[in-house]
CSV table of all heavy atoms in Angstrom, one decimal:
chain,number,residue,atom,x,y,z
A,239,THR,N,-34.8,15.7,33.5
A,239,THR,CA,-33.9,14.6,34.1
A,239,THR,C,-32.5,15.0,34.0
A,239,THR,O,-31.7,14.8,35.0
A,239,THR,CB,-34.2,13.3,33.3
A,239,THR,OG1,-35.5,13.0,33.4
A,239,THR,CG2,-33.3,12.2,33.9
A,240,LYS,N,-32.0,15.6,32.9
A,240,LYS,CA,-30.6,16.0,32.8
A,240,LYS,C,-30.3,17.1,33.8
A,240,LYS,O,-29.2,17.0,34.4
A,240,LYS,CB,-30.4,16.5,31.4
A,240,LYS,CG,-30.4,15.5,30.3
A,240,LYS,CD,-30.3,16.1,28.9
A,240,LYS,CE,-28.9,16.7,28.7
A,240,LYS,NZ,-28.8,17.1,27.3
A,241,LEU,N,-31.2,18.0,34.0
A,241,LEU,CA,-30.9,19.1,35.0
A,241,LEU,C,-30.9,18.6,36.4
A,241,LEU,O,-30.1,19.0,37.3
A,241,LEU,CB,-32.0,20.2,34.8
A,241,LEU,CG,-31.9,21.1,33.6
A,241,LEU,CD1,-33.1,22.0,33.5
A,241,LEU,CD2,-30.6,21.9,33.7
A,242,GLU,N,-31.8,17.6,36.7
A,242,GLU,CA,-31.9,17.0,38.0
A,242,GLU,C,-30.5,16.2,38.3
A,242,GLU,O,-30.0,16.3,39.4
A,242,GLU,CB,-33.0,16.0,38.1
A,242,GLU,CG,-34.4,16.7,38.2
A,242,GLU,CD,-35.6,15.8,38.2
A,242,GLU,OE1,-35.3,14.6,37.8
A,242,GLU,OE2,-36.7,16.2,38.5
A,243,LYS,N,-30.0,15.5,37.3
A,243,LYS,CA,-28.8,14.8,37.5
A,243,LYS,C,-27.6,15.8,37.7
A,243,LYS,O,-26.7,15.6,38.5
A,243,LYS,CB,-28.5,13.9,36.3
A,243,LYS,CG,-29.4,12.7,36.2
A,243,LYS,CD,-29.0,11.8,35.0
A,243,LYS,CE,-29.9,10.6,34.9
A,243,LYS,NZ,-29.5,9.7,33.8
A,244,GLU,N,-27.6,16.9,36.9
A,244,GLU,CA,-26.6,17.9,37.1
A,244,GLU,C,-26.7,18.6,38.5
A,244,GLU,O,-25.7,18.8,39.1
A,244,GLU,CB,-26.7,19.0,36.0
A,244,GLU,CG,-25.6,20.1,36.1
A,244,GLU,CD,-25.7,21.1,35.0
A,244,GLU,OE1,-26.7,21.1,34.3
A,244,GLU,OE2,-24.8,21.9,35.0
A,245,ARG,N,-27.9,18.8,39.0
A,245,ARG,CA,-28.1,19.4,40.3
A,245,ARG,C,-27.5,18.4,41.4
A,245,ARG,O,-26.8,18.9,42.3
A,245,ARG,CB,-29.6,19.6,40.6
A,245,ARG,CG,-29.9,20.1,42.0
A,245,ARG,CD,-31.4,19.9,42.3
A,245,ARG,NE,-31.7,18.4,42.3
A,245,ARG,CZ,-32.9,17.9,42.2
A,245,ARG,NH1,-34.0,18.8,42.2
A,245,ARG,NH2,-33.1,16.6,42.3
A,246,ASP,N,-27.8,17.1,41.2
A,246,ASP,CA,-27.3,16.1,42.2
A,246,ASP,C,-25.8,16.1,42.2
A,246,ASP,O,-25.2,16.0,43.2
A,246,ASP,CB,-27.9,14.8,41.8
A,246,ASP,CG,-29.4,14.7,42.0
A,246,ASP,OD1,-29.9,15.6,42.7
A,246,ASP,OD2,-30.0,13.8,41.5
A,247,ARG,N,-25.2,16.2,41.0
A,247,ARG,CA,-23.7,16.2,40.9
A,247,ARG,C,-23.1,17.4,41.6
A,247,ARG,O,-22.1,17.3,42.3
A,247,ARG,CB,-23.2,16.1,39.5
A,247,ARG,CG,-23.4,14.7,38.8
A,247,ARG,CD,-22.6,14.6,37.5
A,247,ARG,NE,-23.1,15.6,36.5
A,247,ARG,CZ,-24.0,15.4,35.6
A,247,ARG,NH1,-24.6,14.2,35.6
A,247,ARG,NH2,-24.3,16.4,34.7
A,248,LEU,N,-23.7,18.6,41.3
A,248,LEU,CA,-23.2,19.8,41.9
A,248,LEU,C,-23.4,19.8,43.4
A,248,LEU,O,-22.5,20.3,44.1
A,248,LEU,CB,-24.0,21.0,41.2
A,248,LEU,CG,-23.6,21.3,39.8
A,248,LEU,CD1,-24.6,22.3,39.2
A,248,LEU,CD2,-22.2,21.7,39.6
A,249,THR,N,-24.5,19.3,43.8
A,249,THR,CA,-24.8,19.2,45.3
A,249,THR,C,-23.8,18.4,46.0
A,249,THR,O,-23.2,18.7,47.0
A,249,THR,CB,-26.2,18.7,45.6
A,249,THR,OG1,-27.2,19.5,44.9
A,249,THR,CG2,-26.5,18.6,47.1
A,250,LYS,N,-23.4,17.3,45.4
A,250,LYS,CA,-22.4,16.3,45.9
A,250,LYS,C,-21.1,17.0,46.0
A,250,LYS,O,-20.4,17.0,47.0
A,250,LYS,CB,-22.4,15.1,45.1
A,250,LYS,CG,-21.4,14.1,45.6
A,250,LYS,CD,-21.3,12.8,44.8
A,250,LYS,CE,-20.3,11.8,45.3
A,250,LYS,NZ,-20.2,10.6,44.4
A,251,THR,N,-20.7,17.7,44.9
A,251,THR,CA,-19.4,18.4,44.9
A,251,THR,C,-19.4,19.5,45.9
A,251,THR,O,-18.3,19.7,46.6
A,251,THR,CB,-19.2,19.0,43.5
A,251,THR,OG1,-19.2,18.0,42.5
A,251,THR,CG2,-17.9,19.7,43.4
A,252,ILE,N,-20.4,20.3,46.0
A,252,ILE,CA,-20.5,21.4,47.0
A,252,ILE,C,-20.3,20.8,48.4
A,252,ILE,O,-19.6,21.4,49.3
A,252,ILE,CB,-21.8,22.2,46.9
A,252,ILE,CG1,-21.8,23.0,45.6
A,252,ILE,CG2,-22.0,23.1,48.1
A,252,ILE,CD1,-23.1,23.6,45.2
A,253,ASN,N,-21.0,19.8,48.7
A,253,ASN,CA,-20.9,19.1,50.1
A,253,ASN,C,-19.5,18.7,50.4
A,253,ASN,O,-19.0,18.9,51.5
A,253,ASN,CB,-21.9,18.0,50.2
A,253,ASN,CG,-23.3,18.4,50.2
A,253,ASN,OD1,-23.6,19.6,50.6
A,253,ASN,ND2,-24.3,17.5,49.9
A,254,GLU,N,-18.9,18.1,49.4
A,254,GLU,CA,-17.5,17.6,49.6
A,254,GLU,C,-16.6,18.7,49.8
A,254,GLU,O,-15.7,18.7,50.7
A,254,GLU,CB,-17.1,16.7,48.4
A,254,GLU,CG,-17.8,15.4,48.2
A,254,GLU,CD,-17.5,14.7,47.0
A,254,GLU,OE1,-16.8,15.3,46.1
A,254,GLU,OE2,-17.8,13.5,46.9
A,255,LEU,N,-16.7,19.8,49.0
A,255,LEU,CA,-15.9,21.0,49.2
A,255,LEU,C,-16.1,21.7,50.5
A,255,LEU,O,-15.2,22.2,51.1
A,255,LEU,CB,-16.1,21.9,48.0
A,255,LEU,CG,-15.6,21.5,46.6
A,255,LEU,CD1,-16.0,22.4,45.5
A,255,LEU,CD2,-14.1,21.3,46.6
A,256,THR,N,-17.4,21.7,50.9
A,256,THR,CA,-17.7,22.3,52.2
A,256,THR,C,-17.0,21.6,53.3
A,256,THR,O,-16.4,22.2,54.2
A,256,THR,CB,-19.2,22.4,52.4
A,256,THR,OG1,-19.8,23.1,51.4
A,256,THR,CG2,-19.6,23.0,53.8
Side-chain angles (χ1 to χ4, degrees):
T239 302
K240 291 174 67 176
L241 287 171
E242 288 175 344
K243 288 183 178 180
E244 183 178 5
R245 178 199 60 195
D246 293 341
R247 287 195 298 268
L248 290 172
T249 301
K250 181 180 179 181
T251 300
I252 291 169
N253 289 336
E254 290 174 349
L255 290 173
T256 300

